[in-house]
Amino acid sequence: MMLAHARLRAVILGLVVVGLAVGLVADALGYRQLTIVAWDGPATIVALVVAIDFIAGLWRGTLGVDLIALLAIAASIALGQHLAGVIVAAMVAGGAALKEYAGARARRELAALVSRTPVIAHRTRDGVIVDIAIAAVAIGDELIIKPGEVVPVDGAVVQGPAILDESPLTGEPLPVTRAVDQTVRSGVLNAGGPFVLRGTATAAHSTFEAIVRLVRSAERERPPMARLADRWAVAFLAITLASCGAVWLWTGEAMRALAILVVATPRPLILATPVALICGISRAAKRASPRLKCSRGVTCCLT
């Protein structure tokens, strides 16, 4: 569903860009009717999408400031300012496509992060090695960490030394050596030979699982900065509409009110916070995910 939504946004943006280009060429060649169709057609499509999104937002109990863009497009078409209408439509479609792209990238990085979570651990007891589910690892269990494997739980080195790639957690590109009795955090990569680890925490309470939970939480929840931006956006909407109404009543010229709507179309305002947050989530997930694989498909050291 999300993929289809992203493709729809991309298609709409393509229609607007093509329409704008065709209209400019037609206008230069003197084909006025073709110019109007090329500009008003994509602008109308964008206006319909914005109207649907606005109504859906009202149904959810939120007031979207894209109402300004909707009014700007509609007023531009009604007043014969076709170029202004398609430019506003390009701003709206471009912003929506950018937001969808950033969101899709963040979801891919989060999926890559979650895919790193080990599902099997190699427990050794009385010289016998048994593969068990990560959830079954208990505190005090001794686990064999094989080369190229991600450490499943926090623990201490029993037999080593352990040569670890800790870049997913610390960003340090060089391997780190942990001697016997030194602690090792889950989520790091065994970049050397096999070693034995004694678990000091269960998988659910280990470092890597905490990172995954934090990234998932950041994707789901709306932080205070986003809520603050929403409050300012609503105030901006009220001020803009009041200014348009006052100017129209004072001058009697609808074109002046349209100028305020076009200038005030708040695409940067409503995109700045969500895109910044989504990109931050994407970067955080990417830093905790492996980016390099060796020829056998075993995860190797990160850069």
Side-chain angles (χ1 to χ4, degrees):
M1 186 66 180
M2 289 183 178
L3 181 60
H5 196 261
R7 287 176 176 173
L8 176 61
R9 299 293 186 184
V11 168
I12 292 175
L13 175 60
L15 289 175
V16 173
V17 171
V18 171
L20 178 59
V22 170
L24 289 173
V25 173
D27 186 58
L29 296 177
Y31 296 104
R32 183 59 182 169
Q33 198 61 38
L34 177 58
T35 301
I36 295 174
V37 172
W39 286 345
D40 284 359
T44 301
I45 294 174
V46 172
L48 289 174
V49 173
V50 172
I52 293 171
D53 290 343
F54 179 74
I55 293 172
L58 289 179
W59 185 261
R60 294 190 300 268
T62 60
L63 182 63
V65 291
D66 261 349
L67 176 62
I68 297 176
L70 175 60
L71 294 176
I73 296 173
S76 297
I77 295 175
L79 296 175
Q81 301 300 312
H82 310 287
L83 179 58
V86 76
I87 289 176
V88 173
M91 292 170 57
V92 174
L98 174 62
K99 185 177 179 181
E100 287 293 334
Y101 170 77
R105 180 175 177 179
R107 287 189 292 271
R108 287 196 303 270
E109 299 295 351
L110 179 57
L113 173 63
V114 174
S115 69
R116 289 195 68 227
T117 305
V119 294
I120 296 295
H122 316 294
R123 183 171 62 191
T124 175
R125 184 176 293 173
D126 299 327
V128 178
I129 300 175
V130 179
D131 289 347
I132 61 173
I134 292 298
V137 175
I139 296 175
D141 281 350
E142 293 188 355
L143 310 174
I144 292 182
I145 311 300
K146 298 179 180 180
E149 288 187 337
V150 175
V151 176
V153 297
D154 295 348
V157 178
V158 176
Q159 296 179 21
I163 301 176
L164 304 171
D165 174 10
E166 297 186 345
S167 57
L169 299 184
T170 66
E172 171 58 52
L174 298 178
V176 176
T177 300
R178 300 295 180 190
V180 173
D181 293 333
Q182 286 190 313
T183 59
V184 175
R185 291 176 293 179
S186 61
V188 302
L189 197 70
N190 182 6
F195 66 94
V196 179
L197 179 83
R198 179 182 293 113
T200 58
T202 61
H205 296 89
S206 291
T207 301
F208 185 70
E209 183 60 28
I211 292 174
V212 173
R213 285 198 301 269
L214 284 172
V215 175
R216 282 175 168 167
S217 175
E219 185 188 40
R220 290 193 307 265
E221 298 177 1
R222 291 181 61 78
M225 183 173 65
R227 293 193 292 269
L228 178 63
D230 288 344
R231 287 197 295 271
W232 278 106
V234 172
F236 182 78
L237 171 62
I239 292 172
T240 300
L241 296 181
S243 300
C244 290
V247 168
W248 195 353
L249 290 175
W250 181 263
T251 64
E253 297 181 14
M255 290 293 293
R256 293 182 182 271
L258 172 61
I260 294 176
L261 286 175
V262 172
V263 172
T265 298
R267 263 289 128 183
L269 173 66
I270 60 181
L271 280 177
T273 297
V275 170
L277 289 172
I278 290 170
C279 290
I281 293 169
S282 174
R283 177 61 63 89
K286 189 173 184 178
R287 283 184 177 274
S289 300
R291 285 172 272 173
L292 190 63
K293 292 182 179 293
C294 67
S295 59
R296 297 189 200 175
V298 179
T299 305
C300 300
C301 298
L302 302 182
T303 55

